[in-house]
Amino acid sequence: MFIAIAGSLLAGLGVGPILGAGQVVMGAWWPFILAAAFIAGAASWFCMVKWRVAALSLWTLIGSMLSVFILCGMAAQTPPRLVFHTSNPPAAGPREPLGLHTGLDLFWGSSQTLSALDTLFKVDRLDVLSPSSLQFKQRLLLAQPRLLAPEELVALDDWVRGGGRAVILADPLLVWPSDLPLGDRRRPPVTSLLDPLLTRWGLVLEPAQPALVERRFVEGNRLLLTEGASHFTTRHSDFARCQQVGDGFMVTCRVGEGKVRLIADADLLDERLWQSSEGERLMSDTMALLDRWLRRPLSPATEWPNAINWVRNEADVKAGLRWALLVALLWAFAGAAILAQWRGRLKPFEGR
C-alpha cells in the first residue's frame, strides 16, 4: 500500500508540471492516484477475498489523495485546486485598441508575446509618440522604448494627463536576447532611457542587481519571472502622485486625469519567462497580469477562475514531499492494522 501511494506521488511529481513549470496542479496526479488504487487492489486479489480487494483499493485511493493534497498545499503554501489543465486565463474585458511603443524585438519574426497581446487587445504599433498618434488611444504599453525626443515626451505626458491609461516597463539592465551585433541601433536599449519623464513624475529608477532570473510574487499569489530587475524610489513632484507597490518593483501614479503603472523590468515580456519552450504550459502570470493592469493600472489584479497555484520555492516542495511520504507511511500502517482487525472478525464467514 505504501509503495503504491509513494509511487503515485513520485510519478506525478516527475511527469506533472510542478518541477518543469512550477505549477501546482493537483489534477496532474489523478491518473497516478487511480493507478495506485488499482495496483493495491490487484495485489490483494491473490488473497481471493473480494471485500479485501475493494477495501484496500479504497484505502489506497484516499491515502494517495491525502498525500498529494499535502504535497501540493505545502509546495504552493495555499490549498490546491482540483483542476486538470493550465490554459491561459480568460481576458479581463473585450478586445479593445492598445497602442504599443517599444524598442524590444517584438515585431520581427514570430513573437509569442505579441501574439498573446493581440488576442487580448487590438494592438496598434506606434513608431512615434505624437498628439496625432495618441489622439484616439485610451491604453498604451510603453516597453523599454528607444530614446524619445523632447516633443515625444511632452506628447506622452499630455496624453496621460488628459486621462490616458498606461503600463510602462523601464529596465535598467535589459537581458533581452538579440542576434544583432552590439552597437546596432536596432538592438533593444540595454538600459531605460526614460529618465526625463521619470524625474518629472518624481521617480528614480535604481541600478539593477546582477542579471538573475527571479520569481516575484505580486498581487498575492500571482507570479512574474524577471531578469535584471530593479526598483523605483519616489520623490516629491508637482506633476504626479506616485506610490510604491510592495518593495518598489512597481509604482502606480496619478498624473492629472491619467493612471499609470510602472514596472522596473522589461525582460518579463520575453516569452521564455512566461511560456514553456513547447508552448504548452505557462511559466508565469505575466500576460494575464498585463491584461488586467492595462485595463485598470491602479487596481490590483484580482484572482480569475482556475488561477494557477505556483511553487513558492524548492524548499517547500522538498518539505511537502517529506510530509506526504510520512503521511503515506502512517496511512499504510493504519490501513494494514484495520484490515487485519477486520480479517480476524470476518474470518469465520469467509469460507461460507
Side-chain angles (χ1 to χ4, degrees), residues 295-332:
R295 299 178 193 276
R296 296 176 293 274
L298 304 187
S299 301
T302 56
E303 294 282 340
W304 47 85
N306 291 334
I308 299 170
N309 287 337
W310 299 98
V311 171
R312 285 288 172 167
N313 54 60
E314 184 179 345
D316 288 335
V317 177
K318 292 180 179 179
L321 181 59
R322 286 195 294 266
W323 279 103
L325 289 173
L326 177 60
V327 169
L329 183 61
L330 295 176
W331 188 267

Side-chain angles (χ1 to χ4, degrees), residues 33-261:
I33 291 174
L34 296 176
F38 174 81
I39 291 172
S44 67
W45 181 260
F46 295 100
C47 298
M48 302 301 293
V49 182
K50 294 182 179 180
W51 69 264
R52 187 177 295 124
V53 174
L56 193 61
S57 296
L58 180 60
W59 193 261
T60 304
L61 177 69
I62 297 174
S64 298
M65 291 176 59
L66 179 61
S67 299
V68 170
F69 190 88
I70 291 172
L71 170 59
C72 292
M74 293 190 68
Q77 295 296 302
T78 188
R81 296 182 176 90
L82 302 178
V83 295
F84 291 85
H85 60 87
T86 56
S87 60
N88 289 294
R95 190 168 173 265
E96 299 176 350
L98 170 68
L100 173 58
H101 181 80
T102 181
L104 303 176
D105 186 11
L106 295 179
F107 293 97
W108 301 94
S110 57
S111 169
Q112 295 299 317
T113 299
L114 184 60
S115 298
L117 282 173
D118 204 44
T119 62
L120 302 171
F121 299 93
K122 299 176 183 178
V123 177
D124 182 13
R125 177 179 179 179
L126 304 180
D127 293 321
V128 178
L129 299 181
S130 65
S132 59
S133 65
L134 294 170
Q135 183 177 6
F136 299 107
K137 299 292 184 300
Q138 293 184 337
R139 293 173 177 82
L140 173 68
L141 176 58
L142 190 66
Q144 197 73 351
R146 55 173 175 77
L147 182 62
L148 298 177
E151 55 270 21
E152 290 181 288
L153 292 170
V154 171
L156 175 60
D157 183 70
D158 290 343
W159 173 81
V160 173
R161 196 170 302 281
R165 300 179 181 180
V167 172
I168 299 177
L169 308 182
D171 198 325
L173 183 58
L174 189 74
V175 197
W176 192 272
S178 176
D179 295 329
L180 299 173
L182 291 173
D184 194 309
R185 296 180 60 184
R186 294 170 295 175
R187 282 182 64 95
V190 177
T191 188
S192 172
L193 304 174
L194 290 173
D195 284 351
L197 183 68
L198 299 181
T199 300
R200 179 176 176 82
W201 290 351
L203 298 173
V204 176
L205 180 60
E206 301 295 343
Q209 299 300 317
L212 301 175
V213 175
E214 295 182 83
R215 295 165 55 85
R216 292 178 179 268
F217 286 91
V218 299
E219 315 291 12
N221 295 321
R222 300 301 95 221
L223 175 65
L224 287 176
L225 293 184
T226 65
E227 190 170 8
S230 182
H231 65 278
F232 295 95
T233 56
T234 58
R235 298 177 179 176
H236 173 74
S237 171
D238 294 329
F239 306 101
R241 292 175 294 162
C242 298
Q243 61 180 8
Q244 293 180 330
V245 178
D247 60 356
F249 170 66
M250 295 186 290
V251 294
T252 55
C253 298
R254 291 185 179 273
V255 184
E257 299 297 324
K259 302 173 182 178
V260 183
R261 181 178 290 262

